[in-house]
Amino acid sequence: IAFFHAYHGDINAKLLAGGFAIMAGVTLYDAATAQGILPYAPQRIEWGSLAFQLILGSILINRYRQTQRQLQELTLKLETKVEERTQALAQANQHLINLAHIDSLTGLLNRRAFLEKLEEEATRTQRTGTPLAILMLDVDHFKGINDTYGHAAGDQVLKELSQKLQQQIRTIDTAGRLGGEEFAVILVNSQLEAAAETAERIRLAVAGMKVQI
């Protein structure tokens, strides 16, 4: 078996086959000296035995190294699997957070998350004395859109309106959908005049919308 595996390139099998060859040679030499065919030389037998032991030692070292490499590969695979599972778990957790806080149609904060954000900003305003403004928005004649073109068209209007709304406010501001066609915006560090200008800018942007149905 050792010679078969050696023939197919197994380094350990090659060493073992070499060891067998040496031992076979030593055995033949021993038999030859016993028959008086060759002169007796004990040092040759000792060298043959030593060589065989060295080969066995090399096989053990190679096997140890192979085992270490295999362990390293398994460890790397396990670490990769753990990382993949961790990322998948983080994505699943983020999805659950989004379900709890994000309006699925518009991508804005839902009513609950928006009110939580409003309470947080109101508390901060009371603590720091910085101005805070709230805009309330209601889409005119939205029921007519649903009745005339259907709810799918109404949903498309709400999606595009939400995008327009996001484009007209600052990154530090927060927009949310309170329900139906009702929206609200939290404007942080915004005086009344600036808030009114933002509201008018949003109104003009929405009034100029053209929705492909």
Side-chain angles (χ1 to χ4, degrees):
I1 295 174
F3 284 101
F4 174 80
H5 287 290
Y7 177 77
H8 287 84
D10 188 324
I11 183 64
N12 290 327
K14 289 181 179 180
L15 290 172
L16 187 59
F20 284 141
I22 291 174
M23 288 303 297
V26 170
T27 301
L28 289 173
Y29 177 80
D30 188 41
T33 54
Q35 295 295 325
I37 300 173
L38 293 173
Y40 179 71
Q43 68 275 13
R44 293 184 181 178
I45 298 177
E46 291 174 2
W47 277 110
S49 177
L50 177 61
F52 184 69
Q53 292 176 17
L54 289 173
I55 288 174
L56 288 179
S58 298
I59 292 172
L60 290 175
I61 292 172
N62 281 336
R63 178 60 63 184
Y64 172 77
R65 289 175 177 172
Q66 288 176 353
T67 302
Q68 288 296 104
R69 285 195 297 269
Q70 291 171 351
L71 286 174
Q72 290 175 355
E73 290 173 359
L74 286 175
T75 300
L76 181 60
K77 289 180 180 178
L78 285 174
E79 289 176 349
T80 301
K81 283 287 184 185
V82 169
E83 175 130 3
E84 290 174 352
R85 294 294 176 84
T86 301
Q87 291 177 353
L89 181 60
Q91 291 174 354
N93 287 336
Q94 186 60 49
H95 181 64
L96 291 175
I97 292 173
N98 289 343
L99 289 178
H101 294 83
I102 303 299
D103 177 66
S104 59
L105 178 64
T106 63
L108 303 179
L109 292 184
N110 58 26
R111 181 185 184 89
R112 176 182 176 182
F114 181 85
L115 293 178
E116 289 176 354
K117 180 66 174 177
L118 178 58
E119 183 177 357
E120 176 187 325
E121 291 296 341
T123 300
R124 186 183 63 81
T125 293
Q126 290 175 351
R127 185 178 68 253
T128 62
T130 54
L132 178 69
I134 310 296
L135 301 181
M136 301 292 294
L137 298 86
D138 187 277
V139 182
D140 292 339
H141 313 299
F142 184 72
K143 184 177 183 303
I145 296 174
N146 279 336
D147 292 343
T148 303
Y149 301 103
H151 289 279
D155 288 348
Q156 186 62 30
V157 169
L158 292 178
K159 289 180 183 179
E160 297 194 23
L161 185 147
S162 300
Q163 294 173 2
K164 284 288 183 183
L165 180 57
Q166 289 279 57
Q167 292 169 3
Q168 300 305 318
I169 62 177
R170 302 167 298 177
T171 56
I172 61 174
D173 299 328
T174 304
R177 183 187 180 196
L178 301 184
E181 69 274 22
E182 296 178 350
F183 298 83
V185 180
I186 301 171
L187 301 174
V188 297
N189 297 328
S190 183
Q191 299 287 355
L192 181 59
E193 183 178 351
E197 291 176 356
T198 301
E200 179 62 12
R201 187 168 64 250
I202 293 172
R203 188 192 69 79
L204 292 173
V206 171
M209 283 176 51
K210 292 182 180 180
V211 180
Q212 186 77 29
I213 298 176

